[in-house]
């Protein structure tokens, strides 16, 4: 199963009107506002269905949403039309961003690490640092999947319909294949496994960490400035 099919299965990623998506935004909004104290230009990188782009637009920021999935961009543009939003949603590869140097005050990068192998994530961080203004901020939110794996192996309910029935990491635990099961069907998705330590080592190449909030036992919001 592709990530697009995975996201479509869970309203928390694909339906900005759903209670699941609203809870996700409500949990992060206070933390975003803690660190995004001045209005400015924001790149919502890996924007998905656009919920955080719309939130920041409503709060007075100028926002561009970027994703490399035509499916997710179609959702975002549809919701934007409903809302009368002025957010521009564009297709872009995080490893080669179509923006000039020093273009943004903030880059939002939420729940996206599972898509990236180490070399590709390094390229994405380098590009984020390039397009951020001096003193700009990377807002990075991620789950320490390496620490979470033992919990997932015990089974866990996900969303309204699915539970995790199998967790199959590779030998080095660089990736994990997770099987989701419902009463009617099952599907599998492969995730790249990122732990907090590895994330922090990689970000150090391009950024200085200036803030961190632990959202729950395995999930973090970290704030970085580019080394410029």
């Amino acid at each position: 199963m592709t990530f697009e099919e995975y996201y479509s299965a869970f309203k928390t990623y694909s339906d900005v009107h759903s209670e699941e998506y609203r809870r996700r935004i409500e949990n992060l909004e206070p933390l975003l506002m803690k660190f995004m104290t001045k209005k400015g230009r924001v790149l919502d990188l890996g924007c998905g269905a656009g919920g955080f782009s719309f939130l920041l637009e409503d709060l007075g920021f100028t926002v561009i949403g970027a994703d490399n999935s035509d499916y997710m961009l179609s959702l975002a543009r549809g919701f934007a039309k409903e809302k009368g939003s002025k957010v521009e949603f564009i297709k872009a590869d995080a490893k080669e961003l179509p923006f000039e140097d020093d273009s943004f005050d903030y880059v939002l990068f939420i729940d996206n690490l599972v898509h990236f192998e180490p070399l590709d994530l390094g390229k994405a961080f380098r590009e984020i640092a390039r397009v951020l203004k001096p003193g700009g901020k990377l807002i990075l939110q991620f789950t320490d999947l390496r620490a979470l794996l033992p919990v997932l192996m015990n089974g866990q309910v996900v969303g309204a319909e699915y539970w995790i029935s199998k967790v199959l990491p590779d030998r080095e635990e660089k990736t994990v294949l997770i099987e989701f099961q419902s009463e009617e069907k099952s599907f599998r998705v492969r995730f790249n496994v990122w732990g907090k330590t590895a994330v922090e080592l990689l970000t150090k190449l391009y950024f200085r960490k200036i803030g961190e909030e632990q959202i729950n036992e395995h999930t973090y919001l970290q704030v970085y400035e580019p080394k410029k």
Side-chain angles (χ1 to χ4, degrees):
M1 193 179 207
T2 67
F3 266 103
E4 291 175 2
E5 292 171 306
Y6 164 74
Y7 286 138
S8 68
F10 296 105
K11 291 182 179 181
T12 188
Y13 298 113
S14 59
D15 183 359
V16 300
H17 300 307
S18 69
E19 183 61 30
E20 296 94 328
Y21 207 118
R22 285 197 295 269
R23 283 200 301 268
R24 187 169 164 234
I25 287 178
E26 288 169 0
N27 287 338
L28 283 184
E29 181 179 354
L31 300 182
L32 296 178
M33 293 304 96
K34 178 177 179 178
F35 295 105
M36 300 175 74
T37 54
K38 296 181 180 180
K39 299 298 186 287
R41 194 163 184 249
V42 182
L43 174 61
D44 184 4
L45 185 57
C47 63
F52 288 97
S53 296
F54 302 135
L55 168 68
L56 293 176
E57 180 187 37
D58 290 343
L59 292 171
F61 294 84
T62 301
V63 186
I64 292 179
D67 207 292
N68 67 352
S69 165
D70 290 321
Y71 170 70
M72 298 307 288
L73 287 170
S74 70
L75 291 179
R77 289 166 181 157
F79 291 130
K81 187 175 181 180
E82 289 179 17
K83 287 175 59 66
S85 169
K86 295 181 179 179
V87 174
E88 180 183 4
F89 290 103
I90 66 169
K91 187 171 184 178
D93 184 343
K95 304 187 299 298
E96 195 173 349
L97 293 172
F99 306 108
E100 295 182 358
D101 297 356
D102 306 336
S103 292
F104 295 95
D105 300 287
Y106 304 95
V107 174
L108 213 62
F109 203 45
I110 294 179
D111 271 339
N112 286 307
L113 298 192
V114 294
H115 296 286
F116 292 88
E117 297 178 358
L119 181 61
D120 288 341
L121 186 58
K123 292 178 180 178
F125 281 154
R126 182 178 62 195
E127 280 290 273
I128 292 169
R130 179 184 66 79
V131 303
L132 274 171
K133 297 176 182 179
K137 294 177 182 178
L138 164 62
I139 313 291
L140 175 67
Q141 187 262 320
F142 66 94
T143 296
D144 184 337
L145 189 53
R146 185 168 299 282
L148 186 60
L149 278 179
V151 178
L152 295 180
M153 288 179 182
N154 292 327
Q156 184 171 318
V157 175
V158 182
E161 301 177 42
Y162 291 92
W163 64 90
I164 293 174
S165 55
K166 291 182 182 178
V167 179
L168 305 170
D170 61 30
R171 289 184 179 181
E172 297 178 343
E173 290 192 352
K174 291 183 177 180
T175 69
V176 59
L177 189 67
I178 298 179
E179 182 175 273
F180 299 89
Q181 180 79 44
S182 73
E183 295 292 344
E184 298 180 355
K185 64 178 181 178
S186 66
F187 62 88
R188 293 182 173 187
V189 182
R190 185 170 296 279
F191 299 83
N192 288 290
V193 176
W194 283 98
K196 185 172 185 284
T197 300
V199 172
E200 292 176 338
L201 287 172
L202 191 54
T203 52
K204 278 184 180 180
L205 295 174
Y206 307 101
F207 301 96
R208 294 180 294 272
K209 186 163 74 170
I210 60 172
E212 176 176 293
E213 297 285 339
Q214 187 163 356
I215 298 170
N216 58 41
E217 186 177 358
H218 299 104
T219 305
Y220 301 87
L221 185 138
Q222 296 181 337
V223 184
Y224 294 89
E225 287 183 347
K227 292 179 176 179
K228 293 186 177 182

